[in-house]
């Protein structure tokens, strides 16, 4: 896990290298980071995501192979700028391959959507489309990729996000941002 770190570069690795990936929820987790890069890696999925990026901006995931169990990549929390380039999915996630703008505990009414995502040269080994699910997000720029975009309508995700914000932070805080260094326990 990387929290509030800038410029992290993870490259030329098989992740995890020495243990069963089922021992982990997320294999690589980034929270409120800037300018982080994952390059030329093979990432085996855990109980949740191969890569989970929450808040922050300017993430780059490239030249890598993902073998998800549930989700491949999740980009959420009002992230501004993420590039997924030259990614190959060796398997498809049971839940989804790429989730963009998915709920997190730091959502509040008025928060900017996840935005400025570029998906370039993203494919699956089995030639089936890579499923990209959009929640509270702008539509990504898609170039030379075999993807299927599924947009979750706002009338579905918005009430659930409000409910979860009230549940985790209380009704009085549903429109208030959460500070960068604050962590929320799920009730």
């Amino acid at each position: 896990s990387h929290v509030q770190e800038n410029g992290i570069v993870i490259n030329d690795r098989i992740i995890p290298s020495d243990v069963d990936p089922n021992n982990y929820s997320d294999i690589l987790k980034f929270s409120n980071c800037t300018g982080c890069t994952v390059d030329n890696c093979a990432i085996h999925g855990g109980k949740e995501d191969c890569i989970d990026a929450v808040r922050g901006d300017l993430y780059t995931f490239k030249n890598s192979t993902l073998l998800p169990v549930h989700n491949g990549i999740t980009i959420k929390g009002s992230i501004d700028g993420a590039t997924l380039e030259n990614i190959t999915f060796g398997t498809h996630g049971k839940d989804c391959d790429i989730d963009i703008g998915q709920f997190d505990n730091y959502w509040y009414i008025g928060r900017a959507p996840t935005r400025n995502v570029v998906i370039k040269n993203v494919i699956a080994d089995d030639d089936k489309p890579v499923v990209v699910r959009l929640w509270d997000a702008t539509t990504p720029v898609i170039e030379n990729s075999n993807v299927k975009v599924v947009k979750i309508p706002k009338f579905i995700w918005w009430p659930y996000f409000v409910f979860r914000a009230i549940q985790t932070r209380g009704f009085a805080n549903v429109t208030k941002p959460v500070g960068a260094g604050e962590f929320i326990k799920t009730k």
Side-chain angles (χ1 to χ4, degrees):
S1 289
H2 300 278
V3 178
Q4 294 181 328
E5 296 181 45
N6 300 326
I8 296 295
V9 176
I10 299 169
N11 61 354
D12 302 318
R13 293 178 50 196
I14 297 172
I15 306 169
S17 62
D18 59 349
V19 295
D20 182 356
N22 290 315
N23 291 332
Y24 298 95
S25 291
D26 299 312
I27 300 303
L28 284 177
K29 185 161 185 92
F30 299 94
S31 180
N32 215 18
C33 297
T34 299
C36 295
T37 299
V38 174
D39 184 13
N40 197 35
C41 291
I43 304 168
H44 299 265
K47 295 175 187 171
E48 292 183 35
D49 303 309
C50 291
I51 301 172
D52 183 25
V54 183
R55 301 188 296 169
D57 56 23
L58 305 175
Y59 290 95
T60 301
F61 308 121
K62 63 184 182 175
N63 306 318
S64 296
T65 299
L66 303 182
L67 300 156
V69 176
H70 291 282
N71 290 331
I73 300 174
T74 298
I75 301 169
K76 62 187 178 186
S78 191
I79 285 175
D80 186 3
T83 300
L84 288 62
E85 185 173 2
N86 300 324
I87 302 289
T88 300
F89 281 80
T91 60
H92 292 277
K94 290 178 187 173
D95 294 335
C96 190
D97 297 318
I98 300 171
D99 251 345
I100 302 175
Q102 182 189 30
F103 165 78
D104 71 328
N105 290 340
Y106 303 91
W107 185 89
Y108 58 90
I109 293 173
R111 183 178 78 173
T114 298
R115 60 214 178 272
N116 298 316
V117 175
V118 175
I119 298 173
K120 184 176 182 179
N121 301 323
V122 173
I123 60 169
D125 277 343
D126 64 5
D127 294 325
K128 292 181 181 176
V130 171
V131 177
V132 178
R133 194 165 51 183
L134 299 179
W135 298 78
D136 183 14
T138 61
T139 303
V141 172
I142 300 171
E143 300 176 17
N144 195 34
S145 297
N146 184 14
V147 299
K148 176 183 176 186
V149 176
V150 177
K151 188 167 176 96
I152 307 300
K154 187 173 182 176
F155 75 86
I156 291 175
W157 62 258
W158 197 84
Y160 175 70
F161 287 13
V162 170
F163 168 77
R164 290 288 292 146
I166 292 168
Q167 184 182 39
T168 57
R169 299 187 304 120
F171 188 78
N173 296 313
V174 76
T175 60
K176 295 179 183 173
V178 178
E182 296 179 47
F183 293 93
I184 295 175
K185 280 186 164 182
T186 303
K187 293 181 182 178

